[in-house]
Amino acid sequence: MRNIGVWIIATVLSATVQAQVSPTTRDSPQHAVSSQVLIVAPLGSGHAALHYGWQTVDGTNLFYREGGPANAPTLVFLHGSPTSSIMYQAVMEQLAATGKLHVIAVDYPSYGYSDAPDRRKYSYTFEHIAQTVARFLVARNIQRYALYMQDYGVPIGFRLIQAAPNSISAIIVQNGVIHLDGFPAAQDPDSKLNKYWRTRDLASDQQFAKEAAQMPFPSSANWTQGPNILPDNELLTIISQQRPGVVDAHLDLWFDYGSNMPLYPAWQSLLKSLNVPVEVIWGSHDNYFTVPGALAYLRDAPKAEIHILDAGHFATLEDPDAIATLVAGFTSRHDLW
């Protein structure tokens, strides 16, 4: 996937990680390797059709995709940036097909198929997005749920957990951090990234806006994402982001990303205090949120299952079968009620 959003002005750093957690490759039958070695059988090829709709929350129409039995335990998916809930389509179809989970994912305001309210009327901050998602869940009558969080979904999700910890039945994190261990670009207080979050760089914003406006229709002439990435995801991201006002909204949210790091210690303490199962799934080829970020969760949740995959930042797009298998196994081993 093109490096947009989280990568706006940061220098992508490469890191060599020597961890005592064996990586999982797509070709290996051993799909889950954690602090306790687990062998998970492939989930199979079953897919269930999802259904789609828009839920109005505070005047904003939020798109969602949903599937599985309504009376099964709920798993809420929170997407990253700049993509949308489409990044979970294949995983959700497989999980819905098991008949054991109710799955739902929402597009945040200005993402995917959701409305893009004017930034002069809607404040694009992580706190506000989290409040909107919380109201969406209330509107959908979802009171207790497990969370699957990736990238931007992690700071949004941990705000949901803070606000209503008793609503959470399990936590699944994928390539998203609450520790600086896995965030090398933010470790130096004087890094370009931290300087941006202290003083917004309008020149960088303008450059990003120009590049976003010129992103081409995906075709054989410009496709560089490989055979495992769904072009539909790329197309939706481009079209959605080129709507009036959306780039400025996303830049506002990116600037607010700096508000998350001061909350890391509180979120770490919160995770320690929760008595819920934790699973961490990580694409090992993510140079932005690196593998030490996955291992850091063990400090707060020593019983967490850690799975390192042969994939990148958007692993659900690259290897949905492996992730669906891991999530199905994890959720079947725990009481999510």
Side-chain angles (χ1 to χ4, degrees):
M1 175 148 206
R2 287 185 173 87
N3 293 336
I4 316 170
V6 157
W7 295 269
I8 293 173
I9 59 169
T11 301
V12 177
L13 304 177
S14 60
T16 301
V17 180
Q18 294 181 346
Q20 294 182 354
V21 178
S22 301
T24 301
T25 64
R26 296 190 186 94
D27 299 326
S28 170
Q30 187 169 325
H31 286 298
V33 182
S34 68
S35 53
Q36 297 179 345
V37 176
L38 302 170
I39 308 297
V40 179
L43 189 60
S45 58
H47 291 69
L50 304 181
H51 58 269
Y52 311 92
W54 283 264
Q55 176 69 53
T56 302
V57 175
D58 297 336
T60 299
N61 297 306
L62 301 178
F63 176 83
Y64 65 90
R65 56 193 79 220
E66 185 175 21
N71 60 353
T74 295
L75 176 57
V76 175
F77 289 83
L78 300 177
H79 67 79
S81 182
T83 183
S84 60
S85 63
I86 195 174
M87 67 179 283
Y88 295 127
Q89 176 76 21
V91 172
M92 292 174 67
E93 287 176 342
Q94 293 187 54
L95 294 175
T98 68
K100 297 177 180 179
L101 285 173
H102 168 232
V103 294
I104 188 167
V106 61
D107 291 351
Y108 313 139
S110 80
Y111 284 86
Y113 293 114
S114 286
D115 287 355
D118 192 304
R119 59 198 283 260
R120 293 170 294 185
K121 298 179 181 179
Y122 184 96
S123 176
Y124 285 91
T125 66
F126 281 87
E127 182 64 30
H128 197 190
I129 296 286
Q131 292 171 2
T132 299
V133 172
R135 290 176 186 138
F136 167 82
L137 295 175
V138 170
R140 301 303 302 167
N141 196 30
I142 296 171
Q143 300 174 2
R144 184 164 174 80
Y145 53 93
L147 274 175
Y148 188 114
M149 308 173 280
Q150 190 264 356
D151 186 61
Y152 275 26
V154 171
I156 292 168
F158 269 91
R159 284 176 168 83
L160 295 178
I161 299 168
Q162 269 187 315
N166 292 332
S167 296
I168 307 303
S169 61
I171 293 173
I172 305 173
V173 176
Q174 186 239 306
N175 292 82
V177 299
I178 62 169
H179 309 84
L180 283 177
D181 306 50
F183 199 173
Q187 290 171 0
D188 181 355
D190 293 321
S191 67
K192 185 176 182 180
L193 200 54
N194 280 306
K195 288 179 179 177
Y196 175 88
W197 286 328
R198 288 195 296 268
T199 305
R200 190 164 177 172
D201 183 349
L202 297 182
S204 295
D205 286 0
Q206 292 169 358
Q207 179 62 30
F208 172 72
K210 179 180 178 181
E211 292 175 359
Q214 297 174 347
M215 289 180 66
F217 185 91
S219 70
S220 60
N222 57 39
W223 188 253
T224 61
Q225 310 307 311
N228 295 320
I229 298 294
L230 185 68
D232 297 359
N233 174 79
E234 185 84 350
L235 178 60
L236 175 57
T237 299
I238 292 170
I239 293 175
S240 180
Q241 191 164 240
Q242 290 179 348
R243 291 178 293 169
V246 167
V247 167
D248 288 335
H250 289 186
L251 286 168
D252 284 352
L253 189 58
W254 172 236
F255 179 65
D256 188 62
Y257 197 94
S259 71
N260 296 321
M261 287 173 292
L263 298 176
Y264 285 0
W267 292 343
Q268 293 161 17
S269 297
L270 177 62
L271 187 56
K272 288 178 182 178
S273 70
L274 292 175
N275 186 28
V276 299
V278 177
E279 180 177 44
V280 179
I281 300 171
W282 214 270
S284 61
H285 305 304
D286 186 344
N287 289 326
Y288 201 82
F289 291 147
T290 56
V291 170
L295 305 181
Y297 282 98
L298 289 171
R299 294 202 297 267
D300 312 315
K303 295 182 180 180
E305 299 178 15
I306 309 293
H307 309 285
I308 309 301
L309 302 184
D310 181 20
H313 183 73
F314 292 101
T316 56
L317 291 169
E318 294 182 59
D319 203 353
D321 294 350
I323 291 179
T325 297
L326 290 171
V327 172
F330 172 75
T331 55
S332 69
R333 291 190 295 274
H334 299 284
D335 181 5
L336 300 187
W337 290 111

